[in-house]
Amino acid sequence: LPIHLVVWCSSSILLHPFCYYLSCLPWGDEIPQLNLAIAKVYQKLYKPDSVIYYAQKSLDISQKNELYSDIINANNLLSELFENEDPKKALEYKKRAFAAKDVLEKMRKVTALEAFIDYDEEDRRKEIESAQKAYQNQVQRLWLFSITGALLSALDATTVGADVSVS
């Protein structure tokens, strides 16, 4: 279901029943983006109570599921709604949006750091494996040289003994 269809529809005759239909869907209550889209539609229809209801619903779902981008969006919309009516409440929603943005940014940094560490560990593991293979190859070459030397030595001793017995 394209959510942008909900937001960008312009006919108020269609919007209200469409929003009602979307809100009645069995899974509609669990999608914060859908609730926020419905809130924005009601904002265009100048129905502040419905805007607040759906924006708050979006915020609640987002907080329950720790969806920080959606928390930011819902708080920003609610802050915008209360800007003229209740500046204290608007400021509180704005602060919550900034707090969620900070958490989201920290999570991104931690994820990036973990990815870097994982990559670094993988590099080290490959380096160790490469060094182990090089060491094994060196040991095999030493064994080969030792065996070759022993065989040549034995062959030389047999040829020297053969030369002595012929003379």
Side-chain angles (χ1 to χ4, degrees), residues 129-149:
E129 285 176 3
S130 177
Q132 285 174 337
K133 284 181 183 177
Y135 175 74
Q136 288 172 348
N137 288 341
Q138 188 177 11
V139 168
Q140 287 174 350
R141 271 190 252 120
L142 286 173
W143 273 101
L144 187 62
F145 287 138
S146 298
I147 291 170
T148 304

Side-chain angles (χ1 to χ4, degrees), residues 6-49:
V6 178
V7 178
W8 298 112
C9 245
S10 60
S11 170
S12 63
I13 296 169
L14 292 174
L15 286 178
H16 187 68
F18 189 60
C19 289
Y20 178 74
Y21 167 74
L22 289 175
S23 66
C24 291
L25 292 173
W27 42 262
D29 280 351
E30 297 305 314
I31 302 174
Q33 300 92 344
L34 180 61
N35 285 293
L36 194 63
I38 292 171
K40 288 180 180 180
V41 169
Y42 279 121
Q43 186 180 26
K44 289 184 185 290
L45 294 173
Y46 304 104
K47 297 189 179 268
D49 291 342

Side-chain angles (χ1 to χ4, degrees), residues 43-139:
Q43 186 180 26
K44 289 184 185 290
L45 294 173
Y46 304 104
K47 297 189 179 268
D49 291 342
S50 296
V51 178
I52 293 168
Y53 173 79
Y54 284 103
Q56 188 61 52
K57 196 172 183 181
S58 174
L59 181 60
D60 293 342
I61 296 167
S62 301
Q63 287 174 331
K64 181 177 89 177
N65 296 307
E66 296 181 357
L67 304 169
Y68 292 100
S69 292
D70 296 324
I71 291 171
I72 294 166
N73 293 333
N75 273 307
N76 282 334
L77 180 61
L78 287 163
S79 174
E80 183 183 317
L81 289 172
F82 287 107
E83 202 169 90
N84 296 327
E85 192 178 306
D86 189 351
K88 263 188 174 178
K89 210 172 198 178
L91 183 61
E92 186 60 38
Y93 282 118
K94 194 54 91 173
K95 284 180 183 178
R96 290 179 188 171
F98 282 128
K101 192 173 183 180
D102 287 345
V103 169
L104 188 60
E105 189 59 34
K106 285 177 187 173
M107 287 173 63
R108 285 183 183 147
K109 286 179 182 178
V110 166
T111 303
L113 181 62
E114 286 174 349
F116 178 74
I117 289 170
D118 289 344
Y119 177 77
D120 195 39
E121 284 178 13
E122 182 68 19
D123 255 6
R124 274 191 249 129
R125 187 185 59 75
K126 286 180 181 178
E127 203 174 292
I128 290 169
E129 285 176 3
S130 177
Q132 285 174 337
K133 284 181 183 177
Y135 175 74
Q136 288 172 348
N137 288 341
Q138 188 177 11
V139 168

